[in-house]
Amino acid sequence: MVNLANYKDLVIGDRVIKPGSSEEFKTGDWRSMLPVIDLDKCIDCLTCWIYCPDDCILVKDDKVVGIKKTHCKGCGICAKACPKKAITMVEGEE
Amino acid sequence: MTPAKHSDIAINGDCAVALAWRQIDPDVCAAYPITPQTIIVEKFAEYIANGEVKTEFVCVESEHSALTLCVTACSAGARTFTATASQGMAYMWEVLPIAASMRVPIIMAVANRAVSGPININNDHGDVMSARDTGWMSLFAENVQQAYDLSIIAPRIAEHHEVQLPCLMNLDGFILTHAIERMTPLDTHAVKKFVGEFKPLYPLLDVEHPVSHNLMDGPLFYFPHKYQTVKAMDKALEVTKQVFKEFQQISGREYNLVEEYMCDDASCIAIVLGSSFGTMKEAVDQLRREGMHVGVAMPRLYRPWPISDLAKVMKGKKSVIVMDRHLSIGSYGPMFPEVVAAALENEGEMPKMYNYIYGLGGADTMVSDFVSVYKDVKEGKAKRINYLGVRE
Amino acid sequence: MSTLSLKDLNKIPVRLASGHRLCAGCAESIIARQILMGTEKDVVVTCATGCFEVSTTIFPYTSWNVPYIHTAFGNGAAGCAGVESAYQSLRRQGKITKDIKFVTFAGDGATYDIGLQALSGAMERGHHMLYVCLNNEAYMNTGIQRSSATGMGASTTTSCAGSVCYGKKEYSKDMTKIVAMHGVPYVAQAAPHAWRDMITKAHKAFECGGPSFINALSPCPRGWRFQPEDSINISKLAVDTCVWPLYEIENGTDYTLSPESLKIAEGKVEKKPITEWIASQGRYKHLMNERWEPVVEEMQEKLDARWDYLLKLCKL
């Protein structure tokens, strides 16, 4: 028998009151290839950021600082889109 | 006949519902016209045109959109009303269980009408019975006064924070929607005070607290979410009783979970919904004059089903006749098994149970027809399922 | 909004969080993020049932940092209209003072097919809402069945290419123009590779003062059969071949080509042949067989005719 949730623990009416809670669901384990950014080549144009379907390009003070590995699905869009070829897809983890 | 009170008015059922709505003044009303509900929305459109209400009135392109619009408007934080009938309810059916599971206390007047086919615009309960398992509460009016009263009562039950379920307010098509009766309305101020401010739970438009509504449930959560509505329905029965009491205080009019007429000393009673309750009371009066110990009862609600009150009224009776104004082709009428199940609560004292299907598609059912039902039962002529008035 | 630098856009709080379960490389979230960058005001999101709805809201997780609501499949527009109606009522009563924007996301099945009536109704009634069609040209959520947005010749699970069939026999419905004919203030076609164009259009749509519609092409790696990394390239190819011209229509009559398509119209950029479009995706692969050459020729003719018609409407 599956362990069903206690109905009393659920907010009334199939609602979720914690915004953005899917951050707790780590889609990073879907990945087979990981984008690696060569920060020396990177010009912080943020092209990769605007095209990332999973909001996984980490940007701090207008600069690209890395990949959100917890959620990156490894689609490779960033590597293709980078005008400076600063991103390469590597197998497994770094 | 009692003399009319000074404030009494002559009004049809649809206009009485519209009047109640005007006095409540909901935030949003979205509806699509369908006979015999049309007068409700036409009358309400007049109130809009004359600036008598502040409601956002949306004339949608279909019933599917009407109910959808009500669900999201109510989720957004608006008190929301709509009305439909027959095919309209069939067309909005997809959204009915969604509304209940999203726990939005929408009030929907249903001008009960037969469902196609064959196409027929007259009264029976085919439309509302299709909503039986959707999670909506369902109230029934016997006359125009009750259609008005229940329109005022319904939001108080539906919006109760431990209920939060949508509610159907049924009035028989044409018989009540179009017939003009004498009625005593309440003062608008009293209605507003009784109904109170709408206090939505988790309103979508509270942008400071973003909430996501109606998510995809896997097997782990679907059942518990459904069970939440079961508990809400249970609570609704309790709340209904309380609201009826409060309504009596402002109106002097008494409502019960099960309305009884001459049931106390009766050996045979009938159970019926809607306007036929009035007709059956006439039949009971006539038979009582002939010395027959008969009575009639009407469940005020079909959902939640007032099981223990029904059991109480059936206790010690020799026979119970269930009058269904709808049929579930291939089985009993929809109410019959539910009345039988309620009778089981009386531990081992099962009356003889008879089911009559009657009045489909507006087939006229007169006092004399109901008289014959009681007599047939008494004389042992009744079968388990009977189709009243159908010539074989 | 005038400069639209990515560095400025990056400062807008994230409205669609990570952790949604769209396929890797799916363009739908790319489009939604861009659309939501089109306004800095508060926004309420509504969805029709579909890939995007399912993936972003699997209980007990939501990817939404803004208010979100969904009801069913064929009523995305009515759902958004309901929230907007509540807003109009409560604002008129002084219970809400904020300027809030409303957007609904729906797939092509929910827009072109089952939800067309609700969409038409909402556009006609004039609700202040933006309707975005995430157009991946088939019922992807149920397993790649054809819709009336599916291109001719595409193989789907209900319009299969086989020994006697080249895939879908019908051309797609021109939904963008159908909505425009409602006379609404703002309608546009967009594609996610052209992010500046998309965000500009979203901004115009949000601020147009009435109903608006953006038909956004959403390349689907799974359904169109291409590698996830190519979503953006495929999006660009759709514009370069004029399969998916970028343009906008104001008040139902004023057609304007958007920069990328305008360059093609002006001859500054070469219009690529449809064969490049066909070669880029597995769903059209069977058309590369010379047996179906006449079909491809007909597709090119039809596409050229549609493009010429659009140029005429744009007074070019």
Side-chain angles (χ1 to χ4, degrees):
Chain A
M1 182 63 195
V2 286
N3 187 17
L4 296 177
N6 188 320
Y7 79 98
K8 285 181 187 163
D9 296 336
L10 304 176
V11 167
I12 170 173
D14 191 17
R15 298 171 171 113
V16 170
I17 59 172
K18 187 179 176 191
S21 60
S22 70
E23 290 281 354
E24 295 163 27
F25 188 85
K26 309 285 192 275
T27 49
D29 59 12
W30 295 11
R31 186 178 59 233
S32 57
M33 302 281 274
L34 174 76
V36 176
I37 308 173
D38 182 343
L39 292 176
D40 291 336
K41 284 190 192 169
C42 174
I43 55 166
D44 301 310
C45 66
L46 304 193
T47 304
C48 54
W49 169 78
I50 192 73
Y51 290 141
C52 175
D54 296 284
D55 199 31
C56 285
I57 305 294
L58 299 172
V59 179
K60 204 179 169 199
D61 301 329
D62 296 342
K63 300 212 176 303
V64 173
V65 294
I67 300 289
K68 192 164 150 188
K69 288 190 206 169
T70 47
H71 292 83
C72 168
K73 295 170 187 163
C75 69
I77 286 177
C78 53
K80 275 253 170 154
C82 178
K84 293 291 169 189
K85 306 263 174 272
I87 305 177
T88 43
M89 300 302 290
V90 300
E91 234 170 291
E93 301 299 302
E94 278 170 280
Chain B
M1 187 186 267
T2 47
K5 284 185 209 157
H6 180 63
S7 57
D8 279 9
I9 54 172
I11 192 169
N12 68 38
D14 274 354
C15 286
V17 172
L19 174 63
W21 289 10
R22 192 200 77 188
Q23 293 178 310
I24 295 168
D25 198 358
D27 300 311
V28 172
C29 173
Y32 188 81
I34 181 163
T35 303
Q37 154 265 38
T38 37
I39 308 171
I40 302 177
V41 279
E42 287 169 356
K43 192 72 197 168
F44 199 67
E46 273 179 45
Y47 296 143
I48 295 277
N50 294 320
E52 294 176 62
V53 284
K54 61 176 180 342
T55 312
E56 182 77 9
F57 182 55
V58 195
C59 293
V60 280
E61 85 297 332
S62 73
E63 284 91 355
H64 196 277
S65 286
L67 190 53
T68 301
L69 210 128
C70 290
V71 168
T72 57
C74 198
S75 298
R79 178 176 273 149
T80 305
F81 288 7
T82 186
T84 195
S86 181
Q87 303 313 108
M89 184 172 238
Y91 195 26
M92 58 171 65
W93 200 93
E94 183 192 17
V95 191
L96 289 173
I98 294 172
S101 110
M102 290 176 76
R103 306 297 292 277
V104 279
I106 301 160
I107 306 303
M108 174 150 72
V110 186
N112 301 122
R113 165 184 155 183
V115 172
S116 299
I119 185 168
N120 175 298
I121 61 165
N122 300 295
N123 171 247
D124 71 32
H125 294 156
D127 48 15
V128 60
M129 288 300 159
S130 76
R132 184 188 68 183
D133 303 336
T134 58
W136 283 63
M137 291 189 291
S138 197
L139 291 162
F140 278 83
E142 176 201 339
N143 52 38
V144 170
Q145 179 77 63
Q146 292 182 8
Y148 169 82
D149 288 351
L150 293 173
S151 296
I152 293 161
I153 287 168
R156 277 291 306 278
I157 309 168
E159 293 169 13
H160 187 283
H161 270 191
E162 287 179 78
V163 176
Q164 294 279 303
L165 287 173
C167 184
L168 305 170
M169 202 291 291
N170 296 282
L171 68 163
D172 282 328
F174 294 106
I175 300 168
L176 299 184
T177 58
H178 287 59
I180 294 176
E181 295 180 8
R182 201 182 74 203
M183 181 192 91
T184 315
L186 294 167
D187 167 65
T188 298
H189 178 71
V191 171
K192 280 207 164 64
K193 195 173 160 215
F194 178 77
V195 176
E197 278 286 302
F198 181 50
K199 297 192 184 84
L201 276 179
Y202 307 108
L204 197 63
L205 287 173
D206 178 5
V207 290
E208 308 295 331
H209 302 94
V211 172
S212 292
H213 296 245
N214 197 31
L215 285 77
M216 173 87 177
D217 264 4
L220 279 179
F221 297 106
Y222 182 88
F223 204 170
H225 273 136
K226 283 289 178 198
Y227 190 67
Q228 276 189 336
T229 54
V230 172
K231 302 308 276 183
M233 271 289 181
D234 290 350
K235 185 75 190 174
L237 216 48
E238 217 177 283
V239 171
T240 303
K241 254 191 215 172
Q242 183 56 38
V243 175
F244 281 171
K245 259 186 220 158
E246 287 179 43
F247 187 78
Q248 190 177 1
Q249 283 160 12
I250 66 158
S251 67
R253 293 188 285 272
E254 184 188 340
Y255 288 96
N256 299 287
L257 298 185
V258 176
E259 307 293 352
E260 299 177 26
Y261 186 72
M262 304 291 233
C263 290
D264 279 352
D265 66 340
S267 60
C268 170
I269 61 162
I271 311 279
V272 70
L273 285 173
S275 61
S276 300
F277 186 45
T279 321
M280 289 203 87
K281 282 191 250 183
E282 287 292 320
V284 166
D285 285 347
Q286 197 175 309
L287 292 167
R288 285 264 168 181
R289 284 195 293 273
E290 294 175 21
M292 274 175 73
H293 288 271
V294 292
V296 61
M298 165 166 143
R300 181 59 68 193
L301 310 100
Y302 188 61
R303 286 290 178 275
W305 186 233
I307 295 169
S308 52
D309 291 62
L310 270 168
K312 211 187 290 168
V313 75
M314 287 188 280
K315 198 167 175 62
K317 304 302 175 214
K318 220 173 110 197
S319 45
V320 172
I321 307 162
V322 182
M323 305 298 302
D324 268 303
R325 203 161 197 164
H326 177 50
L327 79 172
S328 174
I329 303 160
S331 185
Y332 307 100
M335 195 159 64
F336 183 73
E338 305 217 20
V339 175
V340 172
L344 289 173
E345 300 299 311
N346 292 330
E347 300 298 333
E349 288 180 38
M350 185 59 83
K352 286 188 177 165
M353 310 287 297
Y354 302 95
N355 191 192
Y356 274 80
I357 312 293
Y358 78 103
L360 300 193
D364 228 351
T365 317
M366 323 284 278
V367 175
S368 55
D369 297 314
F370 290 126
V371 164
S372 73
V373 168
Y374 284 107
K375 286 191 170 166
D376 284 355
V377 167
K378 192 188 176 197
E379 290 161 17
K381 289 186 198 159
K383 294 182 277 190
R384 181 73 75 210
I385 310 179
N386 309 272
Y387 298 87
L388 187 61
V390 175
R391 289 183 297 275
E392 285 187 79
Chain C
M1 246 21 232
S2 54
T3 53
L4 267 194
S5 84
L6 288 176
K7 289 192 165 74
D8 289 341
L9 292 170
N10 181 259
K11 291 179 181 68
I12 298 176
V14 174
R15 286 168 161 167
L16 179 65
S18 306
H20 60 73
R21 288 177 244 186
L22 290 164
C23 302
C26 173
E28 293 194 342
S29 55
I30 306 175
I31 296 165
R33 289 174 70 229
Q34 292 175 3
I35 291 284
L36 293 168
M37 287 172 196
T39 184
E40 292 193 54
K41 293 175 182 166
D42 284 306
V43 63
V44 175
V45 170
T46 61
C47 266
T49 308
C51 290
F52 192 58
E53 167 268 327
V54 167
S55 305
T56 57
T57 54
I58 297 181
F59 195 90
Y61 302 109
T62 176
S63 302
W64 294 101
N65 284 319
V66 292
Y68 161 93
I69 193 165
H70 150 257
T71 54
F73 187 19
N75 57 2
C80 195
V83 184
E84 190 264 357
S85 299
Y87 169 72
Q88 297 297 351
S89 176
L90 298 176
R91 200 173 59 156
R92 199 165 55 239
Q93 297 173 56
K95 291 178 181 171
I96 289 178
T97 48
K98 286 196 161 192
D99 189 1
I100 304 175
K101 298 296 174 190
F102 303 94
V103 58
T104 196
F105 293 103
D108 51 291
T111 305
Y112 284 58
D113 294 341
I114 196 170
L116 177 57
Q117 174 181 300
L119 169 60
S120 176
M123 293 291 123
E124 183 268 335
R125 292 191 301 270
H127 297 281
H128 291 220
M129 58 178 266
L130 164 59
Y131 187 107
V132 178
C133 177
L134 299 170
N135 186 358
N136 54 25
E137 298 192 335
Y139 290 86
M140 298 311 182
N141 195 35
T142 42
I144 324 170
Q145 294 86 15
R146 62 89 84 184
S147 78
S148 60
T150 307
M152 183 192 171
S155 182
T156 72
T157 54
T158 51
S159 64
C160 321
S163 58
V164 296
C165 185
Y166 54 81
K168 194 189 175 212
K169 290 196 171 65
E170 306 80 17
Y171 289 98
S172 64
K173 195 189 272 182
D174 195 339
M175 197 62 213
T176 308
K177 295 192 190 70
I178 291 169
V179 178
M181 290 305 281
H182 287 71
V184 296
Y186 190 79
V187 168
Q189 270 194 190
H193 74 282
W195 60 266
R196 189 185 301 274
D197 184 58
M198 176 87 75
I199 299 170
T200 306
K201 283 171 175 167
H203 182 68
K204 281 189 187 177
F206 279 123
E207 295 300 328
C208 75
S212 51
F213 175 80
I214 293 179
N215 199 347
L217 189 74
S218 186
C220 171
R222 183 73 187 85
W224 296 10
R225 311 283 179 197
F226 63 82
Q227 291 305 308
E229 66 201 31
D230 285 324
S231 285
I232 294 300
N233 300 339
I234 297 273
S235 169
K236 185 166 188 318
L237 189 58
V239 175
D240 291 347
T241 52
C242 297
V243 163
W244 193 255
L246 303 179
Y247 62 101
E248 56 190 10
I249 311 161
E250 281 165 287
N251 302 312
T253 48
D254 302 335
Y255 281 69
T256 311
L257 277 188
S258 308
E260 279 190 37
S261 289
L262 183 62
K263 278 179 196 153
I264 297 169
E266 290 172 344
K268 290 176 186 162
V269 170
E270 181 206 2
K271 180 184 170 201
K272 291 183 175 169
I274 197 164
T275 42
E276 281 198 34
W277 176 247
I278 287 166
S280 69
Q281 300 153 55
R283 62 174 171 159
Y284 290 118
K285 192 177 62 184
H286 54 283
L287 295 177
M288 306 294 280
N289 186 315
E290 61 183 30
R291 179 182 173 199
W292 300 122
E293 226 167 72
V295 174
V296 177
E297 276 168 28
E298 197 199 311
M299 285 167 70
Q300 183 70 63
E301 280 167 27
K302 178 80 174 179
L303 191 148
D304 291 345
R306 280 191 177 187
W307 172 245
D308 290 345
Y309 178 57
L310 177 63
L311 295 185
K312 236 181 256 174
L313 292 169
C314 294
K315 300 192 172 67
L316 289 168

